[in-house]
Amino acid sequence: MHRTGPGWTPRPTRGSWHRAAAALCALLLAAPHAQADDDAALAAYRGPPSGWPAAQIDPGVAFVELAPLPDTPRATPRQRAQAALGRALFADPRLSASGRIACASCHDPARGWSVDQPVALGIDGRRGRRNPPDLRQAGAHVPHGRWGWDGRGRTLAAQSLAPLTDPDEMGNASVQAVLARLQALPGPAARLTPASLGAALAAHVLQAGADASPTRYERFLRGERTALGPQELRGLHLFRTKARCVQCHHGPWLSDGLFHNLRLSSFGEPAEDRGRQRVSGRPEDTGAFRTPSLRRVAQSPPYLHNGLVASLEGVVRLYMRGGGEVWARNAAEAAQPLYPHAARLSPLIRPLDLSDDEQAALVAFLRTL
């Protein structure tokens, strides 16, 4: 007679005891070896990158090893003067039609060159659509020649001028309308052209990035191997391996400069943002946004193109679950030509299996960047 029921526990057989004992022994024997391998991997990070454990990279990814930022040539007196003019203009609300919004209103140096809300408020309190990026990282996009979350800007100067005529940002009818106001001012601002205005703002942005104090991560890469503690080194190892961060965030700027779909476009909803597709016109770019630089990422929450994730812990949880979701609520939405592209997750994104301790180590490392 076989007894079953909610409180019944089967009596183990001799064979099941042997199998359980063997499994426990194997686990106990493997644990010291796994810990030794982990300790050896972390110890390797105390040396130069050439001796680090191999990064875990998917086929086809043009991985570039983590490295210090490139040295910036010393600015000439003319370049310094141009950047100084750009700095004054960047903080001047007279660049907006209302006289109340400056570039620094949305890219506040005291808030990581961004805002502490998901989006910034422009002229007449109008809400922007995207989170303002930390402009100190603009140098990351110089090699690719595309600026902004969707790569709309072809030069940094042109991207710097774009907010001036955006109806939701600074609200000017034209750049010439801005110059007409500046002509009433004494000094070099009165002689600006559209090209020289954009160049001055761009020079300020690049100079701000060059003048930023080195982070602990930067000091570590430049040879100060004690700048990162054991937990942060473990986070670095996870960043390059199990957590898959370096699939997209690699090289000196921690960005591949490319566009990826994390299924965060809110496709079909009032907040829909098609990202790169609005610029390129290619259906396969629907929902794709640029990989941001992670340099100084801890200084500019909230995160992602829409600013909807408030903390680094939240970003890690998003990647743990394998990105966001795009779904069709009815047949009509499913039949939209762009829907399959919006719903197609980047092949570089997949769910992660990180323990609580591993997530904490990864976040600790991100805070050093």
Side-chain angles (χ1 to χ4, degrees):
M1 178 177 180
H2 296 283
R3 180 184 178 190
T4 61
W8 177 71
T9 302
R11 182 179 180 180
T13 65
R14 184 184 300 271
S16 66
W17 276 116
H18 287 168
R19 287 192 295 272
L24 178 59
C25 288
L27 181 62
L28 292 175
L29 289 172
H33 293 291
Q35 183 62 50
D37 290 343
D38 191 48
D39 291 344
L42 297 186
Y45 287 101
R46 294 297 185 189
S50 59
W52 291 358
Q56 295 177 9
I57 303 299
D58 288 359
V61 173
F63 172 71
V64 178
E65 186 56 271
L66 309 186
L69 291 173
D71 291 330
T72 303
R74 182 181 295 275
T76 65
R78 181 179 178 279
Q79 290 170 331
R80 282 284 182 183
Q82 185 183 47
L85 175 59
R87 182 169 62 252
L89 294 167
F90 194 85
D92 194 334
R94 285 173 291 194
L95 266 62
S96 67
S98 66
R100 296 179 179 178
I101 303 294
C103 302
S105 300
C106 301
H107 298 280
D108 186 349
R111 292 179 171 84
W113 288 71
S114 184
V115 293
D116 54 10
Q117 300 295 320
V119 297
L121 300 181
I123 191 169
D124 299 330
R126 297 175 189 171
R127 289 176 55 83
R129 289 183 60 81
R130 296 173 180 164
N131 183 255
D134 178 350
L135 294 184
R136 291 171 298 179
Q137 317 317 323
H141 309 310
V142 170
H144 309 286
R146 296 189 296 261
W147 277 265
W149 281 108
D150 56 15
R152 183 179 303 271
R154 300 304 298 174
T155 68
L156 182 55
Q159 182 70 12
S160 300
L161 292 177
L164 302 182
T165 55
D166 189 302
D168 293 329
E169 295 190 47
M170 302 180 86
N172 292 288
S174 66
V175 176
Q176 290 294 345
V178 178
L179 296 178
R181 292 195 296 274
L182 295 179
Q183 286 171 359
L185 303 177
R191 300 187 296 273
L192 287 170
T193 65
S196 59
L197 172 58
L201 292 171
H204 166 54
V205 166
L206 292 176
Q207 191 63 54
D211 290 344
S213 299
T215 63
R216 285 198 292 128
Y217 169 72
E218 179 72 16
R219 289 168 20 220
F220 170 80
L221 290 177
R222 293 188 178 275
E224 190 181 329
R225 299 302 179 193
T226 59
L228 301 187
Q231 185 189 40
E232 294 154 347
L233 285 180
R234 189 183 184 203
L236 166 59
H237 183 56
L238 291 165
F239 188 91
R240 297 178 68 254
T241 55
K242 185 178 178 181
R244 299 181 53 81
C245 306
V246 290
Q247 304 293 337
C248 303
H249 296 284
H250 54 239
W253 286 102
L254 300 174
S255 170
D256 61 5
L258 303 179
F259 302 86
H260 302 283
N261 184 359
L262 274 63
R263 289 197 299 219
L264 296 174
S265 64
S266 300
F267 189 83
E269 303 175 30
E272 176 183 284
D273 188 342
R274 298 181 187 176
R276 179 66 178 163
Q277 190 274 336
R278 289 289 191 186
V279 178
S280 70
R282 298 183 301 183
E284 60 268 29
D285 287 338
T286 305
F289 294 88
R290 179 193 295 285
T291 303
S293 168
L294 293 186
R295 288 287 188 156
R296 298 181 174 82
V297 66
Q299 299 177 18
S300 58
Y303 301 107
L304 307 175
H305 75 273
N306 48 20
L308 291 184
V309 179
S311 67
L312 291 173
E313 290 84 357
V315 174
V316 171
R317 287 193 293 271
L318 171 70
Y319 282 98
M320 287 280 290
R321 66 191 295 266
E325 296 182 9
V326 170
W327 61 85
R329 291 166 293 186
N330 50 58
E333 290 183 359
Q336 291 187 30
L338 293 181
Y339 169 73
H341 302 283
R344 185 174 298 126
L345 184 69
S346 165
L348 298 180
I349 306 300
R350 62 189 65 169
L352 303 175
D353 181 18
L354 300 178
S355 68
D356 290 346
D357 286 347
E358 288 174 328
Q359 293 178 57
L362 182 58
V363 169
F365 170 66
L366 294 174
R367 294 191 186 284
T368 74
L369 298 178

